[in-house]
Amino acid sequence: MKIVVIGGGAAGLMAAGTAAQELKENGMTGEVILFERNAACGKKLLISGKGRCNMTNSTDVKGLMANIPGNSSFLYSCLNKFSAEDIVDFFESIGVKTKVERGSRVFPVSDKARDVVEALVRFCLSSGVVIKYNSRVKSADISDGKLSNVTVDVDKVETRFDCDKLIITTGGKSYPRTGSTGDGYIIAKSLGHNIITPRPSLIPLLTDDSRITDLQGLSLKNIKVTFFDKAGNEIYNDFGELLFTHFGLSGPVILSASRHLLDYNYKNIVCSIDLKPG
């Protein structure tokens, strides 16, 4: 049994390590190969949570579902099989001690995302996973109705690797500089999957308010933001941290709000900031 995993982020590293362990526990011969297009794993993971890595939220499935906009029911079975509590237990088992902060956010005790990445890589290697860096999977081939191999650009040399199973964990298109360029969509579509057109989420916002330039770099804590449409109707509100940038607004409350503004195409929206909501 040959299993190929595309993408060395959190999902890819967890999937590869777990698959390798399953092979051993079930007495099956085979190998798991993880292909990562960058020179190291977890590039996007390293910058998550401002470099601290917000791993999950310490709540139940109902609490998680309530905070997933869009088609949250799509994740219902996944979250029931692997809950936030399971995530914490997993990381504790591979040596990452965790803590819970305001808003039930879970972070590593060390406050270092790098510790999370290094623990995941160790988990993979100790499970017998072969990790190949600077390796970008270009396509997956099917023969007689079955997956047969993947074509990989390894250090700019095109090579084919046989495989029986393929796990695509390439992330989305949100941060091209970290390797998230949408490769997974192309490969999945070539294998017959339907791809829903990606829409932005967890993104900073642009504004036409000229005063923003003078405020860039200013960070506010414990504030409340409320978004209104052009008719003055409230769209969304949140409490937490905000950051002024040279082009607009960022920070946790803005990133969370961005998904809720999609239906308005980010046009004619007013953001009100309450500096002392208490």
Side-chain angles (χ1 to χ4, degrees), residues 104-179:
S104 300
R105 295 175 298 167
V106 179
F107 290 92
V109 169
S110 66
D111 284 330
K112 295 179 181 178
R114 183 167 297 280
D115 290 348
V116 176
V117 174
E118 291 177 350
L120 285 169
V121 172
R122 285 197 303 270
F123 167 64
C124 276
L125 296 177
S126 64
S127 300
V129 177
V130 176
I131 303 177
K132 293 187 176 294
Y133 298 107
N134 299 310
S135 303
R136 184 177 184 179
V137 177
K138 305 299 287 291
S139 64
D141 301 313
I142 294 178
S143 177
D144 295 327
K146 294 183 179 180
L147 184 70
S148 59
N149 60 70
V150 292
T151 300
V152 190
D153 189 338
V154 182
D155 289 321
K156 298 182 179 181
V157 177
E158 201 167 273
T159 309
R160 285 189 176 183
F161 291 84
D162 294 336
C163 66
D164 302 295
K165 303 289 183 181
L166 178 65
I167 304 175
I168 302 174
T169 55
T170 55
K173 301 177 67 173
S174 62
Y175 213 138
R177 283 183 293 175
T178 65

Side-chain angles (χ1 to χ4, degrees), residues 45-94:
L45 193 58
L46 288 173
I47 60 176
S48 65
K50 295 182 179 179
R52 296 174 59 217
C53 190
N54 185 183
M55 301 157 73
T56 186
N57 193 276
S58 182
T59 185
D60 56 17
V61 174
K62 185 178 180 180
L64 292 173
M65 294 286 284
N67 287 278
I68 300 173
N71 183 22
S72 60
S73 59
F74 175 73
L75 293 171
Y76 190 79
S77 60
C78 298
L79 295 174
N80 272 286
K81 290 179 180 178
F82 198 76
S83 65
E85 185 177 354
D86 292 326
I87 291 175
V88 172
D89 289 343
F90 168 77
F91 278 105
E92 293 275 352
S93 73
I94 63 172

